[in-house]
Amino acid sequence: MRAFIGLGPPDTVRDALDGLQSDLRVGRLVDPENLHLTLAFLGEVDLPTLEALHLDLQQITFAPFDLRLAGLELFGGARPRVLSIRGQAGPPLRALRAKLHSTARGAGIDLPRARFRPHVTLARFRRDMPPDDTAKLGRFLSAHADVALPAFPVEAFTLYRSHLSPDGATYEPLADYPVPA
Ligand code: 2AM
């Protein structure tokens, strides 16, 4: 199955992102319950490997830290494909990601060494965006590019299964790994 490890924002942040998305009149919006920040994209993983990983993830400890989402970014150059909001890549977030990556590698999962660009994807766009939509997207960015949400505490990470469908992906939380009390 296709799986990844990520952070699900608290409801207050989901609501704020939902409010922001409702001003965006173009593209395919990510449903509020699917909003997340990916820490480790695992790709296709078989069940025994995922079960082994699950046991290893339960052993991970980290101190809770604050995360802030701020600033919109568009990917895809002249033909934007994705709109996301940036996560601040402070040392605690990087340290947690590094632990997750080494744990996943230890469980036999081959992770590509990509640069970490923490973000929450808000919407996806068709490559052939009509000019009207391009203009709407431009207006949305002028109004909201510098959005900054209140920081929230990260006290757990989540293992997700990704279900792909023609209507867009949905993400099913399989297990939460809270910091020990
Ligand atoms: P995206 O939001 O930028 O599309 C589930 O698909 C999650 O894993 C999404 O957050 C997605 O990022 C991310 N993802 C999908 N494919 C990926 C890949 N090849 N490398 C890194 N992250 C990926």
Side-chain angles (χ1 to χ4, degrees), residues 2 4 36 38 41 82 112 117 119 121 124 162 171:
R2 195 174 157 94
F4 66 96
H36 67 276
T38 297
F41 179 71
V82 169
R117 197 177 52 71
H119 65 277
T121 295
R124 294 193 165 79
S162 168
Y171 308 122

mmCIF file with all atom_site columns, all heavy atoms in Angstrom, residues 2 4 36 38 41 82 112 117 119 121 124 162 171, ligand 1:
data_model
loop_
_atom_site.group_PDB
_atom_site.id
_atom_site.type_symbol
_atom_site.label_atom_id
_atom_site.label_alt_id
_atom_site.label_comp_id
_atom_site.label_asym_id
_atom_site.label_entity_id
_atom_site.label_seq_id
_atom_site.pdbx_PDB_ins_code
_atom_site.Cartn_x
_atom_site.Cartn_y
_atom_site.Cartn_z
_atom_site.occupancy
_atom_site.B_iso_or_equiv
_atom_site.pdbx_formal_charge
_atom_site.auth_seq_id
_atom_site.auth_comp_id
_atom_site.auth_asym_id
_atom_site.auth_atom_id
_atom_site.pdbx_PDB_model_num
ATOM   1   N N   . ARG A 1 2   ? 0.278  2.353  -0.407 1.00 0.00 ? 2   ARG A N   1
ATOM   2   C CA  . ARG A 1 2   ? 1.020  3.612  -0.457 1.00 0.00 ? 2   ARG A CA  1
ATOM   3   C C   . ARG A 1 2   ? 0.896  4.281  0.915  1.00 0.00 ? 2   ARG A C   1
ATOM   4   O O   . ARG A 1 2   ? -0.216 4.406  1.441  1.00 0.00 ? 2   ARG A O   1
ATOM   5   C CB  . ARG A 1 2   ? 0.366  4.469  -1.531 1.00 0.00 ? 2   ARG A CB  1
ATOM   6   C CG  . ARG A 1 2   ? 1.132  5.637  -2.020 1.00 0.00 ? 2   ARG A CG  1
ATOM   7   C CD  . ARG A 1 2   ? 0.306  6.209  -3.167 1.00 0.00 ? 2   ARG A CD  1
ATOM   8   N NE  . ARG A 1 2   ? 0.601  7.592  -3.386 1.00 0.00 ? 2   ARG A NE  1
ATOM   9   C CZ  . ARG A 1 2   ? 1.494  8.030  -4.269 1.00 0.00 ? 2   ARG A CZ  1
ATOM   10  N NH1 . ARG A 1 2   ? 2.149  7.169  -5.013 1.00 0.00 ? 2   ARG A NH1 1
ATOM   11  N NH2 . ARG A 1 2   ? 1.707  9.316  -4.414 1.00 0.00 ? 2   ARG A NH2 1
ATOM   12  N N   . PHE A 1 4   ? 2.668  7.093  4.087  1.00 0.00 ? 4   PHE A N   1
ATOM   13  C CA  . PHE A 1 4   ? 3.587  8.177  4.454  1.00 0.00 ? 4   PHE A CA  1
ATOM   14  C C   . PHE A 1 4   ? 3.388  8.521  5.921  1.00 0.00 ? 4   PHE A C   1
ATOM   15  O O   . PHE A 1 4   ? 2.382  8.128  6.544  1.00 0.00 ? 4   PHE A O   1
ATOM   16  C CB  . PHE A 1 4   ? 3.381  9.401  3.558  1.00 0.00 ? 4   PHE A CB  1
ATOM   17  C CG  . PHE A 1 4   ? 2.054  10.097 3.698  1.00 0.00 ? 4   PHE A CG  1
ATOM   18  C CD1 . PHE A 1 4   ? 1.903  11.199 4.519  1.00 0.00 ? 4   PHE A CD1 1
ATOM   19  C CD2 . PHE A 1 4   ? 0.946  9.649  2.998  1.00 0.00 ? 4   PHE A CD2 1
ATOM   20  C CE1 . PHE A 1 4   ? 0.675  11.844 4.650  1.00 0.00 ? 4   PHE A CE1 1
ATOM   21  C CE2 . PHE A 1 4   ? -0.296 10.273 3.117  1.00 0.00 ? 4   PHE A CE2 1
ATOM   22  C CZ  . PHE A 1 4   ? -0.429 11.378 3.946  1.00 0.00 ? 4   PHE A CZ  1
ATOM   23  N N   . HIS A 1 36  ? -2.426 17.852 5.700  1.00 0.00 ? 36  HIS A N   1
ATOM   24  C CA  . HIS A 1 36  ? -1.335 17.286 6.512  1.00 0.00 ? 36  HIS A CA  1
ATOM   25  C C   . HIS A 1 36  ? -0.007 17.833 6.022  1.00 0.00 ? 36  HIS A C   1
ATOM   26  O O   . HIS A 1 36  ? 0.086  18.346 4.899  1.00 0.00 ? 36  HIS A O   1
ATOM   27  C CB  . HIS A 1 36  ? -1.317 15.767 6.367  1.00 0.00 ? 36  HIS A CB  1
ATOM   28  C CG  . HIS A 1 36  ? -0.941 15.365 4.985  1.00 0.00 ? 36  HIS A CG  1
ATOM   29  N ND1 . HIS A 1 36  ? -1.868 15.308 3.968  1.00 0.00 ? 36  HIS A ND1 1
ATOM   30  C CD2 . HIS A 1 36  ? 0.251  15.102 4.421  1.00 0.00 ? 36  HIS A CD2 1
ATOM   31  C CE1 . HIS A 1 36  ? -1.247 15.003 2.851  1.00 0.00 ? 36  HIS A CE1 1
ATOM   32  N NE2 . HIS A 1 36  ? 0.044  14.875 3.086  1.00 0.00 ? 36  HIS A NE2 1
ATOM   33  N N   . THR A 1 38  ? 3.701  16.364 5.249  1.00 0.00 ? 38  THR A N   1
ATOM   34  C CA  . THR A 1 38  ? 4.424  15.092 5.106  1.00 0.00 ? 38  THR A CA  1
ATOM   35  C C   . THR A 1 38  ? 5.831  15.190 5.679  1.00 0.00 ? 38  THR A C   1
ATOM   36  O O   . THR A 1 38  ? 6.564  16.133 5.387  1.00 0.00 ? 38  THR A O   1
ATOM   37  C CB  . THR A 1 38  ? 4.510  14.704 3.608  1.00 0.00 ? 38  THR A CB  1
ATOM   38  O OG1 . THR A 1 38  ? 3.179  14.492 3.127  1.00 0.00 ? 38  THR A OG1 1
ATOM   39  C CG2 . THR A 1 38  ? 5.312  13.427 3.408  1.00 0.00 ? 38  THR A CG2 1
ATOM   40  N N   . PHE A 1 41  ? 7.764  10.360 3.004  1.00 0.00 ? 41  PHE A N   1
ATOM   41  C CA  . PHE A 1 41  ? 6.929  9.693  2.004  1.00 0.00 ? 41  PHE A CA  1
ATOM   42  C C   . PHE A 1 41  ? 7.520  8.307  1.774  1.00 0.00 ? 41  PHE A C   1
ATOM   43  O O   . PHE A 1 41  ? 8.665  8.170  1.332  1.00 0.00 ? 41  PHE A O   1
ATOM   44  C CB  . PHE A 1 41  ? 6.888  10.506 0.707  1.00 0.00 ? 41  PHE A CB  1
ATOM   45  C CG  . PHE A 1 41  ? 6.069  9.831  -0.346 1.00 0.00 ? 41  PHE A CG  1
ATOM   46  C CD1 . PHE A 1 41  ? 4.685  9.772  -0.217 1.00 0.00 ? 41  PHE A CD1 1
ATOM   47  C CD2 . PHE A 1 41  ? 6.661  9.245  -1.448 1.00 0.00 ? 41  PHE A CD2 1
ATOM   48  C CE1 . PHE A 1 41  ? 3.915  9.132  -1.178 1.00 0.00 ? 41  PHE A CE1 1
ATOM   49  C CE2 . PHE A 1 41  ? 5.894  8.611  -2.412 1.00 0.00 ? 41  PHE A CE2 1
ATOM   50  C CZ  . PHE A 1 41  ? 4.525  8.555  -2.277 1.00 0.00 ? 41  PHE A CZ  1
ATOM   51  N N   . VAL A 1 82  ? 0.399  23.132 -7.972 1.00 0.00 ? 82  VAL A N   1
ATOM   52  C CA  . VAL A 1 82  ? 0.092  22.913 -6.561 1.00 0.00 ? 82  VAL A CA  1
ATOM   53  C C   . VAL A 1 82  ? 0.209  24.227 -5.799 1.00 0.00 ? 82  VAL A C   1
ATOM   54  O O   . VAL A 1 82  ? 1.155  24.991 -6.007 1.00 0.00 ? 82  VAL A O   1
ATOM   55  C CB  . VAL A 1 82  ? 1.095  21.884 -5.972 1.00 0.00 ? 82  VAL A CB  1
ATOM   56  C CG1 . VAL A 1 82  ? 0.989  21.828 -4.455 1.00 0.00 ? 82  VAL A CG1 1
ATOM   57  C CG2 . VAL A 1 82  ? 0.864  20.504 -6.559 1.00 0.00 ? 82  VAL A CG2 1
ATOM   58  N N   . PRO A 1 112 ? 14.058 8.225  -0.901 1.00 0.00 ? 112 PRO A N   1
ATOM   59  C CA  . PRO A 1 112 ? 14.929 9.101  -1.699 1.00 0.00 ? 112 PRO A CA  1
ATOM   60  C C   . PRO A 1 112 ? 15.465 10.236 -0.829 1.00 0.00 ? 112 PRO A C   1
ATOM   61  O O   . PRO A 1 112 ? 14.811 10.644 0.124  1.00 0.00 ? 112 PRO A O   1
ATOM   62  C CB  . PRO A 1 112 ? 13.992 9.648  -2.783 1.00 0.00 ? 112 PRO A CB  1
ATOM   63  C CG  . PRO A 1 112 ? 12.622 9.478  -2.243 1.00 0.00 ? 112 PRO A CG  1
ATOM   64  C CD  . PRO A 1 112 ? 12.650 8.341  -1.259 1.00 0.00 ? 112 PRO A CD  1
ATOM   65  N N   . ARG A 1 117 ? 11.145 20.242 2.249  1.00 0.00 ? 117 ARG A N   1
ATOM   66  C CA  . ARG A 1 117 ? 10.408 21.483 1.960  1.00 0.00 ? 117 ARG A CA  1
ATOM   67  C C   . ARG A 1 117 ? 9.052  21.340 2.662  1.00 0.00 ? 117 ARG A C   1
ATOM   68  O O   . ARG A 1 117 ? 8.065  20.949 2.045  1.00 0.00 ? 117 ARG A O   1
ATOM   69  C CB  . ARG A 1 117 ? 10.242 21.550 0.441  1.00 0.00 ? 117 ARG A CB  1
ATOM   70  C CG  . ARG A 1 117 ? 9.874  22.876 -0.125 1.00 0.00 ? 117 ARG A CG  1
ATOM   71  C CD  . ARG A 1 117 ? 9.810  22.798 -1.645 1.00 0.00 ? 117 ARG A CD  1
ATOM   72  N NE  . ARG A 1 117 ? 8.984  21.721 -2.178 1.00 0.00 ? 117 ARG A NE  1
ATOM   73  C CZ  . ARG A 1 117 ? 7.662  21.680 -2.118 1.00 0.00 ? 117 ARG A CZ  1
ATOM   74  N NH1 . ARG A 1 117 ? 6.985  22.644 -1.548 1.00 0.00 ? 117 ARG A NH1 1
ATOM   75  N NH2 . ARG A 1 117 ? 6.997  20.662 -2.630 1.00 0.00 ? 117 ARG A NH2 1
ATOM   76  N N   . HIS A 1 119 ? 5.532  21.531 3.950  1.00 0.00 ? 119 HIS A N   1
ATOM   77  C CA  . HIS A 1 119 ? 4.383  22.268 3.420  1.00 0.00 ? 119 HIS A CA  1
ATOM   78  C C   . HIS A 1 119 ? 3.111  21.459 3.635  1.00 0.00 ? 119 HIS A C   1
ATOM   79  O O   . HIS A 1 119 ? 3.156  20.245 3.812  1.00 0.00 ? 119 HIS A O   1
ATOM   80  C CB  . HIS A 1 119 ? 4.564  22.545 1.920  1.00 0.00 ? 119 HIS A CB  1
ATOM   81  C CG  . HIS A 1 119 ? 4.572  21.301 1.100  1.00 0.00 ? 119 HIS A CG  1
ATOM   82  N ND1 . HIS A 1 119 ? 5.701  20.524 0.931  1.00 0.00 ? 119 HIS A ND1 1
ATOM   83  C CD2 . HIS A 1 119 ? 3.580  20.654 0.412  1.00 0.00 ? 119 HIS A CD2 1
ATOM   84  C CE1 . HIS A 1 119 ? 5.407  19.476 0.180  1.00 0.00 ? 119 HIS A CE1 1
ATOM   85  N NE2 . HIS A 1 119 ? 4.132  19.529 -0.151 1.00 0.00 ? 119 HIS A NE2 1
ATOM   86  N N   . THR A 1 121 ? -0.225 20.909 1.448  1.00 0.00 ? 121 THR A N   1
ATOM   87  C CA  . THR A 1 121 ? -0.842 21.171 0.144  1.00 0.00 ? 121 THR A CA  1
ATOM   88  C C   . THR A 1 121 ? -2.303 21.560 0.339  1.00 0.00 ? 121 THR A C   1
ATOM   89  O O   . THR A 1 121 ? -3.054 20.872 1.033  1.00 0.00 ? 121 THR A O   1
ATOM   90  C CB  . THR A 1 121 ? -0.736 19.920 -0.759 1.00 0.00 ? 121 THR A CB  1
ATOM   91  O OG1 . THR A 1 121 ? 0.640  19.686 -1.011 1.00 0.00 ? 121 THR A OG1 1
ATOM   92  C CG2 . THR A 1 121 ? -1.462 20.109 -2.082 1.00 0.00 ? 121 THR A CG2 1
ATOM   93  N N   . ARG A 1 124 ? -4.758 21.617 -5.875 1.00 0.00 ? 124 ARG A N   1
ATOM   94  C CA  . ARG A 1 124 ? -4.026 21.177 -7.077 1.00 0.00 ? 124 ARG A CA  1
ATOM   95  C C   . ARG A 1 124 ? -4.755 21.732 -8.297 1.00 0.00 ? 124 ARG A C   1
ATOM   96  O O   . ARG A 1 124 ? -5.983 21.895 -8.286 1.00 0.00 ? 124 ARG A O   1
ATOM   97  C CB  . ARG A 1 124 ? -3.963 19.651 -7.134 1.00 0.00 ? 124 ARG A CB  1
ATOM   98  C CG  . ARG A 1 124 ? -3.140 19.069 -5.996 1.00 0.00 ? 124 ARG A CG  1
ATOM   99  C CD  . ARG A 1 124 ? -2.794 17.601 -6.216 1.00 0.00 ? 124 ARG A CD  1
ATOM   100 N NE  . ARG A 1 124 ? -1.741 17.199 -5.298 1.00 0.00 ? 124 ARG A NE  1
ATOM   101 C CZ  . ARG A 1 124 ? -1.936 16.898 -4.015 1.00 0.00 ? 124 ARG A CZ  1
ATOM   102 N NH1 . ARG A 1 124 ? -3.150 16.913 -3.510 1.00 0.00 ? 124 ARG A NH1 1
ATOM   103 N NH2 . ARG A 1 124 ? -0.921 16.573 -3.238 1.00 0.00 ? 124 ARG A NH2 1
ATOM   104 N N   . SER A 1 162 ? -2.352 6.203  1.867  1.00 0.00 ? 162 SER A N   1
ATOM   105 C CA  . SER A 1 162 ? -2.859 7.081  0.815  1.00 0.00 ? 162 SER A CA  1
ATOM   106 C C   . SER A 1 162 ? -3.679 6.268  -0.180 1.00 0.00 ? 162 SER A C   1
ATOM   107 O O   . SER A 1 162 ? -3.215 5.247  -0.681 1.00 0.00 ? 162 SER A O   1
ATOM   108 C CB  . SER A 1 162 ? -1.651 7.734  0.121  1.00 0.00 ? 162 SER A CB  1
ATOM   109 O OG  . SER A 1 162 ? -2.064 8.370  -1.048 1.00 0.00 ? 162 SER A OG  1
ATOM   110 N N   . TYR A 1 171 ? -6.494 10.353 2.523  1.00 0.00 ? 171 TYR A N   1
ATOM   111 C CA  . TYR A 1 171 ? -5.445 9.881  3.422  1.00 0.00 ? 171 TYR A CA  1
ATOM   112 C C   . TYR A 1 171 ? -6.079 9.318  4.679  1.00 0.00 ? 171 TYR A C   1
ATOM   113 O O   . TYR A 1 171 ? -6.805 10.028 5.380  1.00 0.00 ? 171 TYR A O   1
ATOM   114 C CB  . TYR A 1 171 ? -4.480 11.026 3.744  1.00 0.00 ? 171 TYR A CB  1
ATOM   115 C CG  . TYR A 1 171 ? -3.958 11.704 2.503  1.00 0.00 ? 171 TYR A CG  1
ATOM   116 C CD1 . TYR A 1 171 ? -4.141 13.059 2.293  1.00 0.00 ? 171 TYR A CD1 1
ATOM   117 C CD2 . TYR A 1 171 ? -3.325 10.965 1.506  1.00 0.00 ? 171 TYR A CD2 1
ATOM   118 C CE1 . TYR A 1 171 ? -3.674 13.668 1.135  1.00 0.00 ? 171 TYR A CE1 1
ATOM   119 C CE2 . TYR A 1 171 ? -2.872 11.561 0.350  1.00 0.00 ? 171 TYR A CE2 1
ATOM   120 C CZ  . TYR A 1 171 ? -3.051 12.911 0.169  1.00 0.00 ? 171 TYR A CZ  1
ATOM   121 O OH  . TYR A 1 171 ? -2.609 13.504 -0.977 1.00 0.00 ? 171 TYR A OH  1
HETATM 122 P P1  . 2AM B 2 .   ? 2.260  16.874 -1.815 1.00 0.00 ? 1   2AM B P1  1
HETATM 123 O O1  . 2AM B 2 .   ? 1.254  17.267 -0.771 1.00 0.00 ? 1   2AM B O1  1
HETATM 124 O O2  . 2AM B 2 .   ? 3.281  17.906 -2.048 1.00 0.00 ? 1   2AM B O2  1
HETATM 125 O O3  . 2AM B 2 .   ? 1.634  16.311 -3.050 1.00 0.00 ? 1   2AM B O3  1
HETATM 126 C C1  . 2AM B 2 .   ? 0.827  11.816 0.243  1.00 0.00 ? 1   2AM B C1  1
HETATM 127 O O4  . 2AM B 2 .   ? 0.863  11.637 -1.127 1.00 0.00 ? 1   2AM B O4  1
HETATM 128 C C2  . 2AM B 2 .   ? 1.791  12.868 0.671  1.00 0.00 ? 1   2AM B C2  1
HETATM 129 O O5  . 2AM B 2 .   ? 3.093  12.509 0.275  1.00 0.00 ? 1   2AM B O5  1
HETATM 130 C C3  . 2AM B 2 .   ? 1.535  14.244 0.093  1.00 0.00 ? 1   2AM B C3  1
HETATM 131 O O6  . 2AM B 2 .   ? 1.766  15.208 1.105  1.00 0.00 ? 1   2AM B O6  1
HETATM 132 C C4  . 2AM B 2 .   ? 2.537  14.383 -1.006 1.00 0.00 ? 1   2AM B C4  1
HETATM 133 O O7  . 2AM B 2 .   ? 3.073  15.654 -1.156 1.00 0.00 ? 1   2AM B O7  1
HETATM 134 C C5  . 2AM B 2 .   ? 3.641  13.503 -0.532 1.00 0.00 ? 1   2AM B C5  1
HETATM 135 N N1  . 2AM B 2 .   ? 4.301  12.868 -1.675 1.00 0.00 ? 1   2AM B N1  1
HETATM 136 C C6  . 2AM B 2 .   ? 3.713  12.242 -2.708 1.00 0.00 ? 1   2AM B C6  1
HETATM 137 N N2  . 2AM B 2 .   ? 4.647  11.748 -3.548 1.00 0.00 ? 1   2AM B N2  1
HETATM 138 C C7  . 2AM B 2 .   ? 5.850  12.090 -3.024 1.00 0.00 ? 1   2AM B C7  1
HETATM 139 C C8  . 2AM B 2 .   ? 7.185  11.864 -3.415 1.00 0.00 ? 1   2AM B C8  1
HETATM 140 N N3  . 2AM B 2 .   ? 7.497  11.186 -4.519 1.00 0.00 ? 1   2AM B N3  1
HETATM 141 N N4  . 2AM B 2 .   ? 8.159  12.368 -2.642 1.00 0.00 ? 1   2AM B N4  1
HETATM 142 C C9  . 2AM B 2 .   ? 7.867  13.061 -1.518 1.00 0.00 ? 1   2AM B C9  1
HETATM 143 N N5  . 2AM B 2 .   ? 6.605  13.295 -1.100 1.00 0.00 ? 1   2AM B N5  1
HETATM 144 C C10 . 2AM B 2 .   ? 5.622  12.812 -1.836 1.00 0.00 ? 1   2AM B C10 1
#
